[in-house]
Amino acid sequence: MSPHLVLLLLPVIVFDTGQCQFACSFQNVLKTLNLSRAPSLRPVKDWRSTSIVYLDLTLYTIVDLDMNKQTAVIFIWFYMSWIDEFISWNPDVFCGLKKMFVSSDYFWTPDLYIYEMIESDDNSPNIPYYRISYNGKIVNAMPVRIVVSCKLNVFTFPFDNQTCTLSFGSYVYTVSDIVMLPKSNSSVVNKNTWDVFTSKGDWVLQAVTVQEKSFVTEGEEYNQVIYNIYISRTPMIYILNLIIPACFLVFLDIVSMFIQSYSERLGFKITIVLGFSVLLLILNDMLPSSDNTPMLGTIFCCICMAMMVLSILGSITTLYMMEQSNTSAILPLWIKKAVLTYLARILCFKKAIRAELVTLVTIDNEPESVKKVVTSEEKNRKEKKHFEKGTYLQEVKLLKKLLSQILKIRDDLNFAKEEREAKSDWLIVAQIVDRLVLVLYLFTVSLIFTIMICVWILW
Ligand SMILES: *[C@@H]1O[C@H](CO)[C@@H](O)[C@H](O)[C@H]1NC(C)=O
């Protein structure tokens, strides 16, 4: 007989005494324990003693985070252990058997309840076995898929961090019956989770913490083990698909203010607004429509859209004024006063001020003074005419005729000049309005950008 064969046969030889061979089977242990199906009472020998239930959790993945319903689908590996005082056996009698797996039907189970759960876990894998030990310790380890409500704050979307809370506790038993305690502290839970966590979708795990808490309801004290799951969104897809295109469109819209042909500019701007509204549609699909609206949707997009519409209105106004200048209509005085004096000064529109001064001078002083001079000259001549006689009469008549012709030409020239000035007034006002819209646009957009970036960084 080879030594190997002896080694293989050794257990058979050692336990080949009828009693012990029989005691090595699981059935024998079960028979000794004398278990009944589905016990309903807490397994303690003295009802005044408290059962301590240890919980542990490892977050495996976040399956889904529904922004609109404010729910999270979470997959966890769950562990729960407690002592059943009626279970005990001597391992020496049963061939050293210290633990075994038995159908969960035979044991009392703490009524674990997850307070945030909103759907029963029909989709969880069903593992119907408990691990029992000779000293009465029962371990229920199972993977659980749970749907929990999760208060989501999306104000800083897409740079938001979320916290989901899982509160485990007994629903009926008070602390005098069952106390739930975390098996591992936060650092261990965190480490375990980091080892197995798989990132699904656009969420990154930050940390998992655990704490124990008790609370009093209607004079009864209950206790809970609370797990906080901290996650943050990976913003890259939103930056690429949303923020950068929006910034480009806004930038294009601002640059388009420098297109000199106003009608072409109008068409260009309307195209940009169309592009922006397509972007808004995409954004609407992506954005969570919770009660606290994200800043990106409300402030940024709305104000950018408003500024685009405002600049289109500005372009239309400018275009209208250009057309008015062609029809040689007179600029209303209040517009002239408001725009040429105040707005031009505020916007540092030097060209306009100079032009305005010139027009004021010409309109106010020149024609009247010239007319006065002319009329006085005429009077002098008339007076002289009385004194002079005969020979020069013919020439005087000719000169008079000449004078009247010159005056007429002067009047015509004056009229043409006024017309030209009115036209240039319209043009200047158009330019000032255009400048106003541009300044307003630039100011508002840079303000929003600053606010957004500050909030995203500081929040
Ligand atoms: C957490 O538990 C581990 C192991 O039980 C221990 O080494 C560690 O010091 C604990 N950490 C804290 C913060 O208590």
Side-chain angles (χ1 to χ4, degrees):
M1 217 183 250
S2 74
H4 291 286
L5 200 59
V6 172
L7 273 179
L8 275 174
L9 290 175
L10 199 61
V12 180
I13 296 163
V14 171
F15 300 113
D16 200 16
T17 48
Q19 169 73 32
C20 197
Q21 190 187 29
F22 185 64
C24 281
S25 75
F26 293 122
Q27 275 81 0
N28 199 257
V29 181
L30 272 190
K31 235 174 233 169
T32 321
L33 292 175
N34 193 19
L35 293 170
S36 65
R37 270 191 180 267
S40 59
L41 299 175
R42 195 159 61 89
V44 283
K45 287 176 176 154
D46 180 351
W47 69 271
R48 288 165 294 188
S49 63
T50 306
S51 299
I52 294 180
V53 178
Y54 287 99
L55 304 182
D56 201 8
L57 171 149
T58 303
L59 177 68
Y60 175 58
T61 189
I62 292 162
V63 182
D64 188 25
L65 204 70
D66 192 324
M67 284 288 155
N68 293 335
K69 291 184 194 156
Q70 303 254 322
T71 58
V73 182
I74 294 174
F75 203 93
I76 55 173
W77 294 343
F78 187 70
Y79 169 101
M80 179 163 70
S81 73
W82 64 96
I83 301 289
D84 189 328
E85 291 180 8
F86 295 107
I87 289 176
S88 71
W89 72 85
N90 185 355
D92 296 337
V93 177
F94 302 99
C95 316
L97 179 70
K98 283 185 172 169
K99 59 181 188 227
M100 61 186 205
F101 295 89
V102 182
S103 167
S104 55
D105 292 344
Y106 290 107
F107 305 96
W108 170 87
T109 309
D111 64 323
L112 186 83
Y113 182 70
I114 303 166
Y115 282 75
E116 288 81 10
M117 195 166 78
I118 54 168
E119 271 177 40
S120 62
D121 49 340
D122 292 335
N123 289 317
S124 291
N126 182 25
I127 306 216
Y129 297 104
Y130 288 171
R131 191 181 81 196
I132 62 172
S133 301
Y134 70 98
N135 55 7
K137 184 181 173 190
I138 298 183
V139 172
N140 173 19
M142 56 183 174
V144 184
R145 181 187 184 275
I146 38 176
V147 182
V148 293
S149 77
C150 199
K151 185 96 186 83
L152 301 173
N153 186 346
V154 289
F155 182 65
T156 53
F157 173 90
F159 301 95
D160 49 338
N161 301 319
Q162 307 292 352
T163 308
C164 280
T165 305
L166 301 177
S167 311
F168 295 89
S170 169
Y171 199 74
V172 291
Y173 290 103
T174 58
V175 281
S176 56
D177 292 312
I178 287 183
V179 171
M180 299 218 170
L181 294 175
K183 179 171 163 271
S184 323
N185 59 25
S186 290
S187 51
V188 174
V189 173
N190 211 9
K191 189 191 165 298
N192 290 345
T193 297
W194 271 108
D195 287 345
V196 300
F197 185 79
T198 51
S199 173
K200 291 249 174 67
D202 50 356
W203 293 97
V204 173
L205 181 75
Q206 296 293 322
V208 182
T209 62
V210 59
Q211 78 204 64
E212 192 231 331
K213 198 189 88 176
S214 49
F215 62 96
V216 176
T217 311
E218 292 174 8
E220 302 280 6
E221 193 181 0
Y222 297 86
N223 106 310
Q224 288 179 344
V225 176
I226 297 173
Y227 288 89
N228 283 317
I229 299 168
Y230 299 94
I231 48 176
S232 66
R233 198 191 295 270
T234 45
M236 199 38 94
I237 183 172
Y238 300 99
I239 293 176
L240 289 180
N241 289 340
L242 227 63
I243 296 176
I244 289 181
C247 291
F248 279 160
L249 283 180
V250 170
F251 180 70
L252 265 186
D253 202 43
I254 292 174
V255 170
S256 77
M257 299 291 281
F258 295 97
I259 296 178
Q260 287 305 315
S261 156
Y262 289 103
S263 49
E264 265 173 40
R265 183 200 290 185
L266 197 61
F268 189 77
K269 274 183 174 302
I270 285 169
T271 318
I272 289 179
V273 166
L274 273 181
F276 200 75
S277 50
V278 170
L279 213 62
L280 278 186
L281 278 182
I282 300 173
L283 184 76
N284 238 12
D285 281 350
M286 283 185 176
L287 275 190
S289 59
S290 54
D291 44 359
N292 53 351
T293 40
M295 191 181 57
L296 183 73
T298 48
I299 302 179
F300 181 74
C301 287
C302 283
I303 294 183
C304 281
M305 195 79 180
M307 287 321 291
M308 284 178 179
V309 170
L310 184 78
S311 79
I312 286 183
L313 285 181
S315 292
I316 291 173
T317 313
T318 317
L319 206 59
Y320 172 77
M321 286 175 173
M322 303 291 286
E323 269 156 22
Q324 285 299 303
S325 77
N326 287 339
T327 59
S328 76
I330 297 297
L331 184 69
L333 202 65
W334 64 271
I335 293 183
K336 189 165 171 171
K337 208 171 176 186
V339 174
L340 288 186
T341 40
Y342 301 117
L343 264 183
R345 210 160 290 160
I346 292 167
L347 298 171
C348 308
F349 209 89
K350 282 181 188 129
K351 201 169 107 193
I353 292 171
R354 225 182 290 127
E356 170 214 11
L357 285 176
V358 170
T359 49
L360 283 181
V361 166
T362 52
I363 288 168
D364 289 348
N365 306 330
E366 214 184 338
E368 284 171 22
S369 60
V370 168
K371 265 176 194 166
K372 270 178 198 163
V373 172
V374 168
T375 44
S376 60
E377 276 174 11
E378 217 172 344
K379 271 178 190 169
N380 284 344
R381 273 173 197 177
K382 274 177 186 170
E383 280 163 13
K384 276 179 187 173
K385 200 180 79 184
H386 288 289
F387 298 106
E388 291 179 13
K389 287 170 187 178
T391 52
Y392 297 111
L393 204 67
Q394 208 75 334
E395 287 169 20
V396 168
K397 252 185 189 168
L398 199 69
L399 278 173
K400 218 173 146 187
K401 215 173 176 182
L402 216 65
L403 184 68
S404 74
Q405 288 296 323
I406 288 171
L407 282 177
K408 207 175 168 191
I409 289 169
R410 179 177 273 272
D411 279 353
D412 280 355
L413 278 176
N414 269 344
F415 183 71
K417 195 178 179 185
E418 267 168 31
E419 202 172 279
R420 224 174 30 245
E421 275 160 8
K423 192 168 174 171
S424 82
D425 277 355
W426 277 113
L427 289 182
I428 290 165
V429 169
Q431 278 175 11
I432 290 176
V433 168
D434 199 39
R435 175 80 63 96
L436 174 73
V437 172
L438 177 64
V439 168
L440 214 63
Y441 200 153
L442 276 177
F443 176 74
T444 316
V445 167
S446 41
L447 191 72
I448 306 168
F449 269 81
T450 321
I451 291 175
M452 295 271 293
I453 289 168
C454 283
V455 169
W456 279 339
I457 289 173
L458 297 178
W459 210 263

